[in-house]
Amino acid sequence: MRNLVLCLSISFFLLINFNSALAFDFAPEVGDLAPDFHLEGFNKKIKTKTMWELSDFQGKWLVIYFYPKDFTVGCTIEAKGFSELKNDFSKYNAEIVGISADNQDSHESFCREKSINYTLLSDPNGIISDKYGSWIPPFSDRNTFLISPEGKISYRWISVLPINHAKEVLNVLKKKR
């Protein structure tokens, strides 16, 4: 009987605190050094480059956004939002990088068909996505990080909605400058 009461008490406690457990994340915090990466990728304007590292963006603001899958509705909305604002981000010395588990061929097709004008990186095993608290196998969760020119997390968005997200990121960048 005591075990039953204990089990029911624990179950009740977990049920009440379930939402707070879901809110917990493993993403780097504002002020942390951004986790390094070394990933294959595609950028239709820089065809000769196939490997990308965090140090490639040193001295610039960097928007890294993680997304589940090329060609899906939400991911296309988010990607096109960043593409449409690419010139505005450039005015603030900022680069944009999207990361998903998709391979380079998928990224290349996605960039060409949807006119994506920035770098997309492939993280097929989710190793980098996991370092950023963005891996829910077999996909990356939709999280975004604004990294300062010094390589620190300056702002983060966890489990974002793709509509108008690029504008939201740009507005935060404008305030940081």
Side-chain angles (χ1 to χ4, degrees), residues 33-46:
L33 281 176
D36 200 7
F37 58 83
H38 185 81
L39 295 172
E40 289 186 332
F42 179 79
N43 183 317
K44 66 182 181 182
K45 292 185 179 182
I46 311 171

Side-chain angles (χ1 to χ4, degrees), residues 39-136:
L39 295 172
E40 289 186 332
F42 179 79
N43 183 317
K44 66 182 181 182
K45 292 185 179 182
I46 311 171
K47 295 177 183 172
T48 58
K49 187 167 180 64
T50 59
M51 295 301 294
W52 301 82
E53 299 178 353
L54 182 61
S55 62
D56 292 333
F57 304 97
Q58 188 174 4
K60 294 185 174 192
W61 287 92
L62 177 61
V63 175
I64 295 181
Y65 77 94
F66 294 86
Y67 66 100
K69 189 134 184 71
D70 293 340
F71 295 103
T72 58
V73 174
C75 296
T76 300
I77 289 169
E78 186 174 27
K80 289 184 76 64
F82 280 112
S83 282
E84 290 166 5
L85 296 175
K86 172 78 166 79
N87 289 337
D88 294 321
F89 279 97
S90 294
K91 290 175 189 174
Y92 291 93
N93 192 33
E95 295 288 333
I96 302 163
V97 170
I99 298 177
S100 79
D102 293 306
N103 64 36
Q104 267 186 277
D105 291 338
S106 178
H107 286 334
E108 184 174 349
S109 296
F110 189 49
C111 287
R112 292 191 193 290
E113 288 182 35
K114 304 299 181 182
S115 300
I116 307 304
N117 55 6
Y118 51 84
T119 304
L120 295 182
L121 301 179
S122 299
D123 187 19
N125 299 315
I127 293 168
I128 303 306
S129 297
D130 191 53
K131 286 183 180 182
Y132 280 84
S134 301
W135 187 242
I136 301 174

